[in-house]
Amino acid sequence: MGSDALRIGIDLGGTKIAGIVLDADGATRAESRVPTPRGDYEGTLDAIAGLVAALERQAGTAGASVGVGMPGAISRATGLIKNANSVWLNGRPFAEDLAARLGRPVRVENDANCLAVSEAVDGAGAGEAIVWAIILGTGVGSGIALQGQALTGRNAIAGEWGHNPLPWPRDDERPGPACYCGRHGCLETWLSGPGLSADFFRSTGESRNGEEIVARAEGGDAAAVAAMARHRDRLGRGIAHVVNILDPDVIVLGGGLSRVEGLVAALPEAIAPHVFTDTFDTPVRASRHGDASGVRGAAWLWGTA
């Protein structure tokens, strides 16, 4: 790929499909988005193809590389999509079908891995060898970038952090909330926005969403402050467990809850007691590109060379 080559990134979400064109320096040459045709597989392929064509018209190019970030992963065993919460994609040869529709190869990765790649290439983890990127939002997940490339893993589940149990649980945290995956106490049930709301309800009997809890905590409400402290402690334990295994060079937080004021700054103190080392100095940073990290990471799936 030449230095003047353009890269298209597509972020296939549950409600919208975002697209971007990046040049070799990471500058945006075009961007657009369209609604996701929910429940319609062929319609989804058509929408992406139409978006790619529109982006190329805007950027004045043709035949650009295309990378796609999406929920779920491509099964190593079958080549079909698995684990996507956009369920109409599951069991389909999405990468193969999209490549045929576009008339060129495509690279497809999990959306959390795209976050990691984006932040590793020119974001909060730029220049670091091992970047672990966490998504804290409606769901909880993570992705890993090694030397700027996504780590997918043998089973295409590298970084599936949200469906591991809360480490070092206290007695009142066992067995933990039920998770849609069929288990109890998954990190997603504790650390997601809905998980924070459920924890607040168990403590107070009041139904509040994550944004309301955060706002009340910032206003000094004692119950909300306590809920945020529990959330921070659990997040610290969850992160420490991975640090003890992966020992990343930097930890990057994305997703709505990552923007809670003071959370990123307070995390090292919550992580350190659980890390098996004498000194914990791993940087914890908010994502530089925010909501654009997924689509930028998809573009960078074709590398920086």
Side-chain angles (χ1 to χ4, degrees), residues 3-4 11 22 34 66 137-138 158-161 170 180 213 281 289:
S3 61
D4 59 345
D11 185 9
L22 298 182
V34 296
V66 177
T138 304
E160 280 290 356
W161 179 60
R170 299 187 299 266
Y180 73 87
I213 296 166
D281 62 358
H289 296 298

Side-chain angles (χ1 to χ4, degrees), residues 132 134 161 235-243 251 253 267 271:
W132 181 38
I134 296 169
W161 179 60
L235 181 55
R237 281 183 271 158
I239 290 174
H241 193 214
V242 175
V243 171
I251 300 162
L253 267 63
L267 270 178
I271 298 167

Side-chain angles (χ1 to χ4, degrees), residues 7 10 25 31 64 78-80 83 104 107 110 129 177 193-195 200 202 208 255 267 270 272 295:
R7 301 168 176 82
I10 301 293
D25 296 321
E31 56 186 330
T78 67
L80 308 179
N83 299 343
R104 73 192 82 169
R107 293 183 179 174
N110 176 267
F200 188 79
R202 286 191 295 269
R208 295 286 185 271
L267 270 178
V295 71

Side-chain angles (χ1 to χ4, degrees), residues 24-277:
D25 296 321
T28 300
R29 294 281 295 271
E31 56 186 330
S32 187
R33 63 178 56 188
V34 296
T36 301
R38 292 185 60 80
D40 184 350
Y41 179 70
E42 292 296 330
T44 299
L45 294 173
D46 288 340
I48 295 172
L51 182 57
V52 167
L55 289 166
E56 289 190 323
R57 285 195 298 271
Q58 288 180 44
T61 190
S65 65
V66 177
V68 181
M70 57 171 294
I74 299 175
S75 167
R76 298 288 199 192
T78 67
L80 308 179
I81 299 298
K82 64 176 182 179
N83 299 343
N85 54 17
S86 298
V87 294
W88 64 95
L89 303 174
N90 288 327
R92 300 281 197 157
F94 173 76
E96 181 181 329
D97 287 346
L98 183 59
R101 195 69 57 99
L102 294 175
R104 73 192 82 169
V106 298
R107 293 183 179 174
V108 176
E109 264 294 350
N110 176 267
D111 48 10
N113 288 343
C114 289
L115 166 65
V117 169
S118 172
E119 295 298 325
V121 171
D122 62 355
E128 302 290 358
I130 306 174
V131 177
W132 181 38
I134 296 169
I135 295 176
L136 297 174
T138 304
V140 167
S142 76
I144 302 163
L146 303 180
Q147 304 292 350
Q149 302 294 313
L151 175 65
T152 303
R154 182 184 179 96
N155 298 292
I157 57 170
E160 280 290 356
W161 179 60
H163 292 284
N164 287 278
L166 178 69
W168 302 287
R170 299 187 299 266
D171 288 343
D172 63 351
E173 294 171 332
R174 296 186 180 94
C179 184
Y180 73 87
C181 74
R183 297 178 174 86
H184 282 77
C186 289
L187 283 164
E188 184 165 293
T189 69
W190 293 110
L191 300 179
S192 63
L196 174 62
S197 298
D199 178 74
F200 188 79
F201 179 80
R202 286 191 295 269
S203 175
T204 66
E206 296 181 45
S207 294
R208 295 286 185 271
N209 64 33
E211 290 183 355
E212 291 172 323
I213 296 166
V214 169
R216 289 176 62 161
E218 290 172 348
D221 178 83
V225 169
M228 295 305 300
R230 290 192 299 272
H231 184 270
R232 183 170 58 250
D233 169 65
R234 290 163 180 154
L235 181 55
R237 281 183 271 158
I239 290 174
H241 193 214
V242 175
V243 171
N244 284 337
I245 298 168
L246 182 64
D247 199 12
D249 293 304
V250 62
I251 300 162
V252 179
L253 267 63
L257 286 173
S258 73
R259 295 190 288 272
V260 174
E261 185 175 358
L263 178 62
V264 171
L267 270 178
E269 185 178 352
I271 298 167
H274 307 287
V275 177
F276 194 60
T277 184

